Every structure is written in C-alpha cells, then in structure tokens.
Amino acid sequence: MKQFLLLLLTITVLACSGGGDPAPTPTPTPPTPTVSVATLVKKVWTVSSAQWDGVTKYDKAGTANVVQGYSQYKLDLSTAGSVTLTEFDGKIFTGTYTVATDGLSLTLNGLTSAEGAPTGTGGTIAYTILSTPTTTGLSLQQTTAYVKASSAIVKLALVNP
C-alpha cells in the first residue's frame, strides 16, 4: 500500500509540475544596431537654412534671402575621408574630413583649390555637430568665426535630398 501511495504521489507531482520537457526558452530580440555618426554623415548635403551669429541669411523655402549663394552650397562627404566643399560664393575646395570618435565634431582638413584654401581658414574648417544626424538632416555650427561670413559664427541646417 505504501508503494501504491508513493507511486500515486509521484504521478500527482509530475502532473502538477507539467512533467516532461521544460518549456522552450524564448529567443531574445537582438538589439537594434547603432549607426555611427561617421556613417550617417557620409552623404552629399545641401543647405536648408544658414545663420550667421543667429541671424538667418538663407532659407531654402524663403524668397528674400540675404545670401542667395547658399542655394549652390554643397558639402560632399559621400566618400569616407574625402570632402568636396562648394561654398556659397561658388568656389570649390577638396580635402579630407574626420568625424570625432564621440560623434560631436566634424573637421574638414587640407581644403584647397586652384586659388588656395578658403579665406582665413588655413585649409581647416571645424564644426560642432549640434544633434545626431539623421538620414536626411545634419545640423552644424562652425567652431570659429568665418571671414567669408562677415567674421561670424555660421550655423547650417543641411539636408540630403
């Protein structure tokens, strides 16, 4: 009788615990990969708006722009490490670029053309990246005043059309 009760108790415990194979472990959702800022900026950018010391000088949607030349501005970062910059005055410069490992700055180096470097830069233009770039937008602010912009700090809202 004791053996029968022990067998009945064992069967009851197994039945209550689900017995047999344990439930499969759910597969965790893999984390979404983080795209680096260096990858996000690797495009051809044009100006949506430009400000000098907080005053809007160009707005792509505007009709009364103070500096119309920004309609031709282009920052080509599409080839990793190489840059072609078409300034608002139409002059084209080539050089190299780097994005800081923390993703907070962009530096254009060795900018040259047949006429030399952009005025007053020594061939280097450094920007602070104001927010994480998106696939269609990049917001930059020069770290020093720019001679070509009336010695003002230039802030650019760039788009990748």
Side-chain angles (χ1 to χ4, degrees):
M1 181 81 169
K2 284 184 181 181
Q3 288 179 336
F4 176 75
L5 287 175
L6 185 57
L7 178 61
L8 186 58
L9 181 61
T10 304
I11 292 171
T12 304
V13 168
L14 287 174
C16 290
S17 67
D21 297 331
T25 305
T27 305
T29 304
T32 304
T34 303
V35 179
S36 72
V37 171
T39 299
L40 290 169
V41 302
K42 209 171 123 177
K43 297 177 174 37
V44 177
W45 301 97
T46 60
V47 175
S48 174
S49 69
Q51 295 180 350
W52 297 357
D53 283 341
V55 177
T56 300
K57 300 293 183 173
Y58 177 83
D59 186 323
K60 190 174 189 172
T63 55
N65 290 307
V66 177
V67 184
Q68 287 290 340
Y70 275 111
S71 64
Q72 64 189 348
Y73 180 98
K74 188 185 301 180
L75 181 61
D76 184 346
L77 305 172
S78 61
T79 302
S82 296
V83 62
T84 300
L85 172 65
T86 304
E87 283 272 65
F88 64 86
D89 61 3
K91 292 183 180 175
I92 300 172
F93 302 92
T94 58
T96 61
Y97 78 90
T98 55
V99 175
T101 55
D102 63 7
L104 298 177
S105 64
L106 167 70
T107 305
L108 312 182
N109 292 298
L111 293 172
T112 60
S113 71
E115 300 170 4
T119 306
T121 66
T124 300
I125 301 175
Y127 299 95
T128 299
I129 298 173
L130 299 174
S131 60
T132 303
T134 66
T135 56
T136 59
L138 174 61
S139 183
L140 303 173
Q141 180 171 301
Q142 283 186 256
T143 59
T144 58
Y146 192 30
V147 172
K148 283 182 159 181
S150 300
S151 295
I153 297 291
V154 175
K155 182 177 177 182
L156 301 169
L158 303 176
V159 293
N160 174 251

